[in-house]
PDB file of all heavy atoms in Angstrom:
ATOM      1  N   ASN X   1      78.134  16.234  68.992  1.00 98.00           N
ATOM      2  CA  ASN X   1      77.901  16.090  67.542  1.00 98.00           C
ATOM      3  C   ASN X   1      79.229  15.972  66.798  1.00 98.00           C
ATOM      4  O   ASN X   1      80.165  16.733  67.091  1.00 98.00           O
ATOM      5  CB  ASN X   1      77.169  17.202  66.971  1.00 98.00           C
ATOM      6  CG  ASN X   1      75.675  17.214  67.526  1.00 98.00           C
ATOM      7  OD1 ASN X   1      74.852  16.582  66.929  1.00 98.00           O
ATOM      8  ND2 ASN X   1      75.431  17.907  68.641  1.00 98.00           N
ATOM      9  N   LEU X   2      79.330  15.018  65.968  1.00 98.00           N
ATOM     10  CA  LEU X   2      80.483  14.702  65.088  1.00 98.00           C
ATOM     11  C   LEU X   2      80.373  15.485  63.751  1.00 98.00           C
ATOM     12  O   LEU X   2      79.442  15.301  63.001  1.00 98.00           O
ATOM     13  CB  LEU X   2      80.782  13.295  64.870  1.00 98.00           C
ATOM     14  CG  LEU X   2      82.067  12.868  64.235  1.00 98.00           C
ATOM     15  CD1 LEU X   2      83.206  13.060  65.202  1.00 98.00           C
ATOM     16  CD2 LEU X   2      82.033  11.487  63.679  1.00 98.00           C
ATOM     17  N   ILE X   3      81.339  16.338  63.503  1.00 98.00           N
ATOM     18  CA  ILE X   3      81.304  17.191  62.327  1.00 98.00           C
ATOM     19  C   ILE X   3      82.351  16.883  61.357  1.00 98.00           C
ATOM     20  O   ILE X   3      83.508  16.521  61.785  1.00 98.00           O
ATOM     21  CB  ILE X   3      81.436  18.728  62.728  1.00 98.00           C
ATOM     22  CG1 ILE X   3      80.477  19.075  63.816  1.00 98.00           C
ATOM     23  CG2 ILE X   3      81.224  19.556  61.488  1.00 98.00           C
ATOM     24  CD1 ILE X   3      80.749  20.455  64.360  1.00 98.00           C
ATOM     25  N   GLY X   4      82.101  16.852  60.090  1.00 98.00           N
ATOM     26  CA  GLY X   4      83.061  16.595  59.066  1.00 98.00           C
ATOM     27  C   GLY X   4      82.687  17.247  57.760  1.00 98.00           C
ATOM     28  O   GLY X   4      81.765  18.083  57.648  1.00 98.00           O
ATOM     29  N   PHE X   5      83.425  16.986  56.677  1.00 97.00           N
ATOM     30  CA  PHE X   5      83.089  17.566  55.366  1.00 97.00           C
ATOM     31  C   PHE X   5      82.746  16.404  54.373  1.00 97.00           C
ATOM     32  O   PHE X   5      83.448  15.334  54.416  1.00 97.00           O
ATOM     33  CB  PHE X   5      84.179  18.425  54.803  1.00 97.00           C
ATOM     34  CG  PHE X   5      84.468  19.671  55.609  1.00 97.00           C
ATOM     35  CD1 PHE X   5      85.663  19.805  56.377  1.00 97.00           C
ATOM     36  CD2 PHE X   5      83.633  20.669  55.637  1.00 97.00           C
ATOM     37  CE1 PHE X   5      85.908  20.915  57.081  1.00 97.00           C
ATOM     38  CE2 PHE X   5      83.819  21.773  56.415  1.00 97.00           C
ATOM     39  CZ  PHE X   5      85.005  21.888  57.122  1.00 97.00           C
ATOM     40  N   SER X   6      81.776  16.548  53.617  1.00 95.00           N
ATOM     41  CA  SER X   6      81.398  15.544  52.541  1.00 95.00           C
ATOM     42  C   SER X   6      81.082  16.250  51.346  1.00 95.00           C
ATOM     43  O   SER X   6      80.191  17.128  51.291  1.00 95.00           O
ATOM     44  CB  SER X   6      80.268  14.591  53.008  1.00 95.00           C
ATOM     45  OG  SER X   6      79.908  13.747  51.983  1.00 95.00           O
ATOM     46  N   GLU X   7      81.864  16.028  50.237  1.00 94.00           N
ATOM     47  CA  GLU X   7      81.667  16.715  48.920  1.00 94.00           C
ATOM     48  C   GLU X   7      81.675  18.213  49.064  1.00 94.00           C
ATOM     49  O   GLU X   7      80.784  18.930  48.451  1.00 94.00           O
ATOM     50  CB  GLU X   7      80.386  16.213  48.273  1.00 94.00           C
ATOM     51  CG  GLU X   7      80.483  14.639  47.996  1.00 94.00           C
ATOM     52  CD  GLU X   7      79.182  14.142  47.304  1.00 94.00           C
ATOM     53  OE1 GLU X   7      78.242  14.897  47.249  1.00 94.00           O
ATOM     54  OE2 GLU X   7      79.179  12.921  46.903  1.00 94.00           O
ATOM     55  N   GLY X   8      82.519  18.706  49.917  1.00 94.00           N
ATOM     56  CA  GLY X   8      82.621  20.101  50.088  1.00 94.00           C
ATOM     57  C   GLY X   8      81.560  20.815  51.002  1.00 94.00           C
ATOM     58  O   GLY X   8      81.701  21.954  51.329  1.00 94.00           O
ATOM     59  N   GLU X   9      80.618  19.989  51.626  1.00 96.00           N
ATOM     60  CA  GLU X   9      79.669  20.443  52.501  1.00 96.00           C
ATOM     61  C   GLU X   9      79.910  20.036  53.959  1.00 96.00           C
ATOM     62  O   GLU X   9      80.439  18.957  54.163  1.00 96.00           O
ATOM     63  CB  GLU X   9      78.235  19.952  52.107  1.00 96.00           C
ATOM     64  CG  GLU X   9      77.856  20.447  50.670  1.00 96.00           C
ATOM     65  CD  GLU X   9      77.343  21.901  50.654  1.00 96.00           C
ATOM     66  OE1 GLU X   9      77.187  22.498  51.716  1.00 96.00           O
ATOM     67  OE2 GLU X   9      77.096  22.398  49.619  1.00 96.00           O
ATOM     68  N   ALA X  10      79.686  20.897  54.882  1.00 98.00           N
ATOM     69  CA  ALA X  10      79.792  20.531  56.295  1.00 98.00           C
ATOM     70  C   ALA X  10      78.582  19.639  56.725  1.00 98.00           C
ATOM     71  O   ALA X  10      77.408  19.928  56.355  1.00 98.00           O
ATOM     72  CB  ALA X  10      79.772  21.768  57.150  1.00 98.00           C
ATOM     73  N   VAL X  11      78.851  18.554  57.334  1.00 98.00           N
ATOM     74  CA  VAL X  11      77.788  17.616  57.794  1.00 98.00           C
ATOM     75  C   VAL X  11      78.100  17.134  59.164  1.00 98.00           C
ATOM     76  O   VAL X  11      79.181  17.324  59.744  1.00 98.00           O
ATOM     77  CB  VAL X  11      77.808  16.357  56.823  1.00 98.00           C
ATOM     78  CG1 VAL X  11      77.455  16.739  55.430  1.00 98.00           C
ATOM     79  CG2 VAL X  11      79.158  15.599  56.956  1.00 98.00           C
ATOM     80  N   ILE X  12      76.962  16.602  59.790  1.00 98.00           N
ATOM     81  CA  ILE X  12      77.218  15.916  61.052  1.00 98.00           C
ATOM     82  C   ILE X  12      76.837  14.501  60.931  1.00 98.00           C
ATOM     83  O   ILE X  12      75.939  14.108  60.080  1.00 98.00           O
ATOM     84  CB  ILE X  12      76.413  16.575  62.277  1.00 98.00           C
ATOM     85  CG1 ILE X  12      74.867  16.287  62.050  1.00 98.00           C
ATOM     86  CG2 ILE X  12      76.583  18.063  62.362  1.00 98.00           C
ATOM     87  CD1 ILE X  12      74.072  16.530  63.324  1.00 98.00           C
ATOM     88  N   TYR X  13      77.528  13.660  61.601  1.00 98.00           N
ATOM     89  CA  TYR X  13      77.258  12.223  61.604  1.00 98.00           C
ATOM     90  C   TYR X  13      76.762  11.761  62.962  1.00 98.00           C
ATOM     91  O   TYR X  13      77.234  12.209  64.015  1.00 98.00           O
ATOM     92  CB  TYR X  13      78.615  11.497  61.405  1.00 98.00           C
ATOM     93  CG  TYR X  13      79.257  11.766  60.066  1.00 98.00           C
ATOM     94  CD1 TYR X  13      80.240  12.701  59.969  1.00 98.00           C
ATOM     95  CD2 TYR X  13      79.004  10.981  58.932  1.00 98.00           C
ATOM     96  CE1 TYR X  13      80.844  12.997  58.711  1.00 98.00           C
ATOM     97  CE2 TYR X  13      79.499  11.259  57.729  1.00 98.00           C
ATOM     98  CZ  TYR X  13      80.567  12.288  57.657  1.00 98.00           C
ATOM     99  OH  TYR X  13      81.136  12.544  56.364  1.00 98.00           O
ATOM    100  N   GLY X  14      75.815  10.862  62.905  1.00 97.00           N
ATOM    101  CA  GLY X  14      75.120  10.443  64.186  1.00 97.00           C
ATOM    102  C   GLY X  14      76.178   9.504  64.887  1.00 97.00           C
ATOM    103  O   GLY X  14      76.832   8.687  64.393  1.00 97.00           O
ATOM    104  N   ILE X  15      76.222   9.705  66.187  1.00 98.00           N
ATOM    105  CA  ILE X  15      77.140   8.933  67.025  1.00 98.00           C
ATOM    106  C   ILE X  15      76.342   8.461  68.355  1.00 98.00           C
ATOM    107  O   ILE X  15      75.336   9.233  68.682  1.00 98.00           O
ATOM    108  CB  ILE X  15      78.412   9.649  67.479  1.00 98.00           C
ATOM    109  CG1 ILE X  15      78.138  10.980  68.123  1.00 98.00           C
ATOM    110  CG2 ILE X  15      79.298   9.840  66.200  1.00 98.00           C
ATOM    111  CD1 ILE X  15      79.363  11.707  68.622  1.00 98.00           C
ATOM    112  N   PRO X  16      76.723   7.405  68.975  1.00 98.00           N
ATOM    113  CA  PRO X  16      75.998   6.968  70.124  1.00 98.00           C
ATOM    114  C   PRO X  16      76.222   7.729  71.460  1.00 98.00           C
ATOM    115  O   PRO X  16      75.415   7.608  72.383  1.00 98.00           O
ATOM    116  CB  PRO X  16      76.370   5.424  70.309  1.00 98.00           C
ATOM    117  CG  PRO X  16      77.751   5.439  69.724  1.00 98.00           C
ATOM    118  CD  PRO X  16      77.724   6.465  68.550  1.00 98.00           C
ATOM    119  N   TRP X  17      77.369   8.435  71.533  1.00 98.00           N
ATOM    120  CA  TRP X  17      77.640   9.174  72.768  1.00 98.00           C
ATOM    121  C   TRP X  17      76.832  10.430  72.822  1.00 98.00           C
ATOM    122  O   TRP X  17      76.866  11.278  71.942  1.00 98.00           O
ATOM    123  CB  TRP X  17      79.133   9.472  72.817  1.00 98.00           C
ATOM    124  CG  TRP X  17      79.888   8.242  72.855  1.00 98.00           C
ATOM    125  CD1 TRP X  17      80.166   7.367  73.904  1.00 98.00           C
ATOM    126  CD2 TRP X  17      80.587   7.567  71.735  1.00 98.00           C
ATOM    127  NE1 TRP X  17      80.940   6.204  73.560  1.00 98.00           N
ATOM    128  CE2 TRP X  17      81.176   6.317  72.222  1.00 98.00           C
ATOM    129  CE3 TRP X  17      80.639   7.862  70.314  1.00 98.00           C
ATOM    130  CZ2 TRP X  17      81.895   5.523  71.400  1.00 98.00           C
ATOM    131  CZ3 TRP X  17      81.345   6.943  69.555  1.00 98.00           C
ATOM    132  CH2 TRP X  17      81.941   5.818  70.059  1.00 98.00           C
ATOM    133  N   CYS X  18      76.007  10.599  73.943  1.00 95.00           N
ATOM    134  CA  CYS X  18      75.168  11.788  74.046  1.00 95.00           C
ATOM    135  C   CYS X  18      74.983  12.245  75.410  1.00 95.00           C
ATOM    136  O   CYS X  18      73.968  12.767  75.821  1.00 95.00           O
ATOM    137  CB  CYS X  18      73.852  11.420  73.433  1.00 95.00           C
ATOM    138  SG  CYS X  18      73.081   9.931  74.194  1.00 95.00           S
ATOM    139  N   GLY X  19      76.047  12.062  76.232  1.00 91.00           N
ATOM    140  CA  GLY X  19      76.001  12.506  77.645  1.00 91.00           C
ATOM    141  C   GLY X  19      74.819  11.813  78.426  1.00 91.00           C
ATOM    142  O   GLY X  19      74.501  10.628  78.174  1.00 91.00           O
ATOM    143  N   THR X  20      74.196  12.551  79.329  1.00 90.00           N
ATOM    144  CA  THR X  20      73.067  11.999  80.132  1.00 90.00           C
ATOM    145  C   THR X  20      71.754  12.200  79.378  1.00 90.00           C
ATOM    146  O   THR X  20      70.708  11.765  79.943  1.00 90.00           O
ATOM    147  CB  THR X  20      73.061  12.610  81.483  1.00 90.00           C
ATOM    148  OG1 THR X  20      72.859  14.048  81.333  1.00 90.00           O
ATOM    149  CG2 THR X  20      74.334  12.328  82.248  1.00 90.00           C
ATOM    150  N   SER X  21      71.730  12.855  78.182  1.00 91.00           N
ATOM    151  CA  SER X  21      70.477  13.079  77.602  1.00 91.00           C
ATOM    152  C   SER X  21      69.754  11.813  77.114  1.00 91.00           C
ATOM    153  O   SER X  21      68.523  11.778  77.032  1.00 91.00           O
ATOM    154  CB  SER X  21      70.712  14.033  76.388  1.00 91.00           C
ATOM    155  OG  SER X  21      71.370  13.349  75.336  1.00 91.00           O
ATOM    156  N   GLY X  22      70.455  10.908  76.706  1.00 92.00           N
ATOM    157  CA  GLY X  22      69.888   9.626  76.195  1.00 92.00           C
ATOM    158  C   GLY X  22      69.390   9.845  74.797  1.00 92.00           C
ATOM    159  O   GLY X  22      68.737   8.884  74.202  1.00 92.00           O
ATOM    160  N   ILE X  23      69.694  10.968  74.067  1.00 94.00           N
ATOM    161  CA  ILE X  23      69.088  11.251  72.779  1.00 94.00           C
ATOM    162  C   ILE X  23      70.243  11.204  71.745  1.00 94.00           C
ATOM    163  O   ILE X  23      71.179  11.938  71.810  1.00 94.00           O
ATOM    164  CB  ILE X  23      68.453  12.630  72.695  1.00 94.00           C
ATOM    165  CG1 ILE X  23      67.318  12.744  73.784  1.00 94.00           C
ATOM    166  CG2 ILE X  23      67.902  12.952  71.341  1.00 94.00           C
ATOM    167  CD1 ILE X  23      66.778  14.127  73.855  1.00 94.00           C
ATOM    168  N   SER X  24      70.225  10.248  70.767  1.00 95.00           N
ATOM    169  CA  SER X  24      71.155  10.192  69.669  1.00 95.00           C
ATOM    170  C   SER X  24      70.509   9.518  68.503  1.00 95.00           C
ATOM    171  O   SER X  24      69.447   8.947  68.648  1.00 95.00           O
ATOM    172  CB  SER X  24      72.340   9.431  70.122  1.00 95.00           C
ATOM    173  OG  SER X  24      72.114   8.026  70.375  1.00 95.00           O
ATOM    174  N   GLN X  25      71.067   9.620  67.364  1.00 94.00           N
ATOM    175  CA  GLN X  25      70.650   8.973  66.130  1.00 94.00           C
ATOM    176  C   GLN X  25      71.791   8.685  65.267  1.00 94.00           C
ATOM    177  O   GLN X  25      72.913   9.146  65.497  1.00 94.00           O
ATOM    178  CB  GLN X  25      69.632   9.844  65.415  1.00 94.00           C
ATOM    179  CG  GLN X  25      70.085  11.286  65.147  1.00 94.00           C
ATOM    180  CD  GLN X  25      70.991  11.409  63.883  1.00 94.00           C
ATOM    181  OE1 GLN X  25      70.637  10.908  62.886  1.00 94.00           O
ATOM    182  NE2 GLN X  25      72.071  12.153  64.026  1.00 94.00           N
ATOM    183  N   SER X  26      71.594   7.911  64.320  1.00 94.00           N
ATOM    184  CA  SER X  26      72.787   7.298  63.459  1.00 94.00           C
ATOM    185  C   SER X  26      72.890   7.959  62.046  1.00 94.00           C
ATOM    186  O   SER X  26      73.832   7.609  61.304  1.00 94.00           O
ATOM    187  CB  SER X  26      72.640   5.864  63.306  1.00 94.00           C
ATOM    188  OG  SER X  26      71.468   5.490  62.704  1.00 94.00           O
ATOM    189  N   ALA X  27      72.024   8.845  61.696  1.00 95.00           N
ATOM    190  CA  ALA X  27      71.981   9.330  60.396  1.00 95.00           C
ATOM    191  C   ALA X  27      72.939  10.554  60.195  1.00 95.00           C
ATOM    192  O   ALA X  27      73.470  11.117  61.053  1.00 95.00           O
ATOM    193  CB  ALA X  27      70.577   9.790  59.989  1.00 95.00           C
ATOM    194  N   ARG X  28      73.199  10.852  58.898  1.00 97.00           N
ATOM    195  CA  ARG X  28      74.083  11.978  58.519  1.00 97.00           C
ATOM    196  C   ARG X  28      73.143  13.113  58.076  1.00 97.00           C
ATOM    197  O   ARG X  28      72.136  12.867  57.307  1.00 97.00           O
ATOM    198  CB  ARG X  28      75.044  11.607  57.394  1.00 97.00           C
ATOM    199  CG  ARG X  28      76.059  12.789  57.034  1.00 97.00           C
ATOM    200  CD  ARG X  28      76.896  12.351  55.872  1.00 97.00           C
ATOM    201  NE  ARG X  28      76.157  12.463  54.615  1.00 97.00           N
ATOM    202  CZ  ARG X  28      76.667  12.238  53.467  1.00 97.00           C
ATOM    203  NH1 ARG X  28      77.898  11.844  53.327  1.00 97.00           N
ATOM    204  NH2 ARG X  28      75.897  12.315  52.368  1.00 97.00           N
ATOM    205  N   HIS X  29      73.504  14.412  58.395  1.00 98.00           N
ATOM    206  CA  HIS X  29      72.740  15.551  58.007  1.00 98.00           C
ATOM    207  C   HIS X  29      73.568  16.694  57.618  1.00 98.00           C
ATOM    208  O   HIS X  29      74.710  16.862  58.186  1.00 98.00           O
ATOM    209  CB  HIS X  29      71.799  15.966  59.116  1.00 98.00           C
ATOM    210  CG  HIS X  29      70.858  14.964  59.588  1.00 98.00           C
ATOM    211  ND1 HIS X  29      69.579  14.674  58.837  1.00 98.00           N
ATOM    212  CD2 HIS X  29      70.803  14.062  60.638  1.00 98.00           C
ATOM    213  CE1 HIS X  29      68.935  13.744  59.501  1.00 98.00           C
ATOM    214  NE2 HIS X  29      69.675  13.360  60.597  1.00 98.00           N
ATOM    215  N   LEU X  30      73.131  17.451  56.681  1.00 98.00           N
ATOM    216  CA  LEU X  30      73.865  18.765  56.441  1.00 98.00           C
ATOM    217  C   LEU X  30      73.869  19.618  57.622  1.00 98.00           C
ATOM    218  O   LEU X  30      72.876  19.594  58.394  1.00 98.00           O
ATOM    219  CB  LEU X  30      73.204  19.514  55.229  1.00 98.00           C
ATOM    220  CG  LEU X  30      73.369  18.934  53.830  1.00 98.00           C
ATOM    221  CD1 LEU X  30      72.539  19.698  52.861  1.00 98.00           C
ATOM    222  CD2 LEU X  30      74.851  19.001  53.419  1.00 98.00           C
ATOM    223  N   LEU X  31      74.975  20.356  57.759  1.00 98.00           N
ATOM    224  CA  LEU X  31      75.093  21.221  58.999  1.00 98.00           C
ATOM    225  C   LEU X  31      74.801  22.626  58.549  1.00 98.00           C
ATOM    226  O   LEU X  31      75.483  23.161  57.638  1.00 98.00           O
ATOM    227  CB  LEU X  31      76.514  21.164  59.522  1.00 98.00           C
ATOM    228  CG  LEU X  31      76.842  22.053  60.765  1.00 98.00           C
ATOM    229  CD1 LEU X  31      75.909  21.903  61.902  1.00 98.00           C
ATOM    230  CD2 LEU X  31      78.258  21.899  61.166  1.00 98.00           C
ATOM    231  N   GLY X  32      73.740  23.240  59.190  1.00 97.00           N
ATOM    232  CA  GLY X  32      73.448  24.674  58.919  1.00 97.00           C
ATOM    233  C   GLY X  32      74.370  25.632  59.679  1.00 97.00           C
ATOM    234  O   GLY X  32      74.810  26.554  59.089  1.00 97.00           O
ATOM    235  N   GLY X  33      74.536  25.376  60.949  1.00 97.00           N
ATOM    236  CA  GLY X  33      75.436  26.332  61.714  1.00 97.00           C
ATOM    237  C   GLY X  33      75.528  25.943  63.145  1.00 97.00           C
ATOM    238  O   GLY X  33      74.879  24.946  63.671  1.00 97.00           O
ATOM    239  N   ILE X  34      76.329  26.755  63.852  1.00 98.00           N
ATOM    240  CA  ILE X  34      76.565  26.587  65.273  1.00 98.00           C
ATOM    241  C   ILE X  34      76.124  27.849  65.985  1.00 98.00           C
ATOM    242  O   ILE X  34      76.509  28.916  65.563  1.00 98.00           O
ATOM    243  CB  ILE X  34      78.092  26.322  65.617  1.00 98.00           C
ATOM    244  CG1 ILE X  34      78.519  25.001  64.841  1.00 98.00           C
ATOM    245  CG2 ILE X  34      78.255  26.136  67.044  1.00 98.00           C
ATOM    246  CD1 ILE X  34      80.048  24.741  64.963  1.00 98.00           C
ATOM    247  N   VAL X  35      75.418  27.647  67.092  1.00 97.00           N
ATOM    248  CA  VAL X  35      75.027  28.772  67.911  1.00 97.00           C
ATOM    249  C   VAL X  35      75.511  28.632  69.322  1.00 97.00           C
ATOM    250  O   VAL X  35      75.346  27.683  70.029  1.00 97.00           O
ATOM    251  CB  VAL X  35      73.407  28.889  67.985  1.00 97.00           C
ATOM    252  CG1 VAL X  35      72.996  30.095  68.792  1.00 97.00           C
ATOM    253  CG2 VAL X  35      72.887  28.939  66.597  1.00 97.00           C
ATOM    254  N   PHE X  36      76.318  29.598  69.731  1.00 97.00           N
ATOM    255  CA  PHE X  36      76.825  29.636  71.048  1.00 97.00           C
ATOM    256  C   PHE X  36      75.958  30.480  72.015  1.00 97.00           C
ATOM    257  O   PHE X  36      75.613  31.560  71.707  1.00 97.00           O
ATOM    258  CB  PHE X  36      78.251  30.298  71.106  1.00 97.00           C
ATOM    259  CG  PHE X  36      79.298  29.485  70.299  1.00 97.00           C
ATOM    260  CD1 PHE X  36      79.667  29.843  69.005  1.00 97.00           C
ATOM    261  CD2 PHE X  36      79.718  28.313  70.903  1.00 97.00           C
ATOM    262  CE1 PHE X  36      80.615  29.077  68.354  1.00 97.00           C
ATOM    263  CE2 PHE X  36      80.685  27.544  70.168  1.00 97.00           C
ATOM    264  CZ  PHE X  36      81.133  27.922  68.878  1.00 97.00           C
ATOM    265  N   LEU X  37      75.521  29.746  73.036  1.00 96.00           N
ATOM    266  CA  LEU X  37      74.514  30.392  74.016  1.00 96.00           C
ATOM    267  C   LEU X  37      75.154  31.076  75.127  1.00 96.00           C
ATOM    268  O   LEU X  37      76.190  30.626  75.642  1.00 96.00           O
ATOM    269  CB  LEU X  37      73.577  29.199  74.456  1.00 96.00           C
ATOM    270  CG  LEU X  37      72.828  28.367  73.437  1.00 96.00           C
ATOM    271  CD1 LEU X  37      72.060  27.296  74.122  1.00 96.00           C
ATOM    272  CD2 LEU X  37      71.915  29.329  72.606  1.00 96.00           C
ATOM    273  N   LYS X  38      74.541  32.206  75.432  1.00 93.00           N
ATOM    274  CA  LYS X  38      74.947  32.952  76.626  1.00 93.00           C
ATOM    275  C   LYS X  38      73.682  33.488  77.347  1.00 93.00           C
ATOM    276  O   LYS X  38      72.824  34.153  76.647  1.00 93.00           O
ATOM    277  CB  LYS X  38      75.813  34.128  76.202  1.00 93.00           C
ATOM    278  CG  LYS X  38      76.306  35.055  77.438  1.00 93.00           C
ATOM    279  CD  LYS X  38      77.215  36.154  76.942  1.00 93.00           C
ATOM    280  CE  LYS X  38      77.681  37.009  78.080  1.00 93.00           C
ATOM    281  NZ  LYS X  38      78.531  38.079  77.627  1.00 93.00           N
ATOM    282  N   GLN X  39      73.611  33.230  78.592  1.00 92.00           N
ATOM    283  CA  GLN X  39      72.434  33.716  79.320  1.00 92.00           C
ATOM    284  C   GLN X  39      72.363  35.246  79.333  1.00 92.00           C
ATOM    285  O   GLN X  39      73.474  35.871  79.579  1.00 92.00           O
ATOM    286  CB  GLN X  39      72.372  33.118  80.717  1.00 92.00           C
ATOM    287  CG  GLN X  39      72.115  31.641  80.835  1.00 92.00           C
ATOM    288  CD  GLN X  39      71.941  31.082  82.229  1.00 92.00           C
ATOM    289  OE1 GLN X  39      72.061  31.882  83.164  1.00 92.00           O
ATOM    290  NE2 GLN X  39      71.606  29.854  82.463  1.00 92.00           N
ATOM    291  N   ALA X  40      71.187  35.727  79.238  1.00 93.00           N
ATOM    292  CA  ALA X  40      71.071  37.219  79.280  1.00 93.00           C
ATOM    293  C   ALA X  40      69.610  37.604  79.670  1.00 93.00           C
ATOM    294  O   ALA X  40      68.802  36.721  79.810  1.00 93.00           O
ATOM    295  CB  ALA X  40      71.339  37.801  77.791  1.00 93.00           C
ATOM    296  N   VAL X  41      69.441  38.929  79.798  1.00 94.00           N
ATOM    297  CA  VAL X  41      68.147  39.326  80.213  1.00 94.00           C
ATOM    298  C   VAL X  41      67.214  39.442  79.050  1.00 94.00           C
ATOM    299  O   VAL X  41      65.951  39.300  79.131  1.00 94.00           O
ATOM    300  CB  VAL X  41      68.289  40.742  80.983  1.00 94.00           C
ATOM    301  CG1 VAL X  41      66.872  41.341  81.323  1.00 94.00           C
ATOM    302  CG2 VAL X  41      69.156  40.649  82.191  1.00 94.00           C
ATOM    303  N   HIS X  42      67.767  39.798  77.793  1.00 95.00           N
ATOM    304  CA  HIS X  42      66.994  39.884  76.662  1.00 95.00           C
ATOM    305  C   HIS X  42      67.570  38.964  75.604  1.00 95.00           C
ATOM    306  O   HIS X  42      68.688  38.573  75.682  1.00 95.00           O
ATOM    307  CB  HIS X  42      67.077  41.350  76.102  1.00 95.00           C
ATOM    308  CG  HIS X  42      66.638  42.435  77.142  1.00 95.00           C
ATOM    309  ND1 HIS X  42      65.304  42.582  77.421  1.00 95.00           N
ATOM    310  CD2 HIS X  42      67.335  43.333  77.823  1.00 95.00           C
ATOM    311  CE1 HIS X  42      65.190  43.485  78.314  1.00 95.00           C
ATOM    312  NE2 HIS X  42      66.368  44.020  78.616  1.00 95.00           N
ATOM    313  N   ASN X  43      66.684  38.734  74.584  1.00 95.00           N
ATOM    314  CA  ASN X  43      67.121  37.732  73.576  1.00 95.00           C
ATOM    315  C   ASN X  43      67.571  38.520  72.339  1.00 95.00           C
ATOM    316  O   ASN X  43      66.840  39.276  71.712  1.00 95.00           O
ATOM    317  CB  ASN X  43      65.888  36.867  73.195  1.00 95.00           C
ATOM    318  CG  ASN X  43      65.392  36.019  74.363  1.00 95.00           C
ATOM    319  OD1 ASN X  43      66.182  35.172  74.802  1.00 95.00           O
ATOM    320  ND2 ASN X  43      64.185  36.282  74.781  1.00 95.00           N
ATOM    321  N   LYS X  44      68.725  38.187  71.855  1.00 95.00           N
ATOM    322  CA  LYS X  44      69.245  38.731  70.523  1.00 95.00           C
ATOM    323  C   LYS X  44      70.376  37.906  70.053  1.00 95.00           C
ATOM    324  O   LYS X  44      71.121  37.293  70.740  1.00 95.00           O
ATOM    325  CB  LYS X  44      69.696  40.154  70.744  1.00 95.00           C
ATOM    326  CG  LYS X  44      70.922  40.415  71.619  1.00 95.00           C
ATOM    327  CD  LYS X  44      71.380  41.789  71.634  1.00 95.00           C
ATOM    328  CE  LYS X  44      72.607  42.045  72.421  1.00 95.00           C
ATOM    329  NZ  LYS X  44      73.090  43.481  72.400  1.00 95.00           N
TER     330      LYS X  44
END
């Protein structure tokens, strides 16, 4: 995901590179946040 700023807001821009997933789109969207995942026994 390509991240930048537009009018003071964080946004993502659609790009064609998407690894082996084959899933991408070309639109721009406001960015809510980033979540870093770590495997665990319980969810929190």
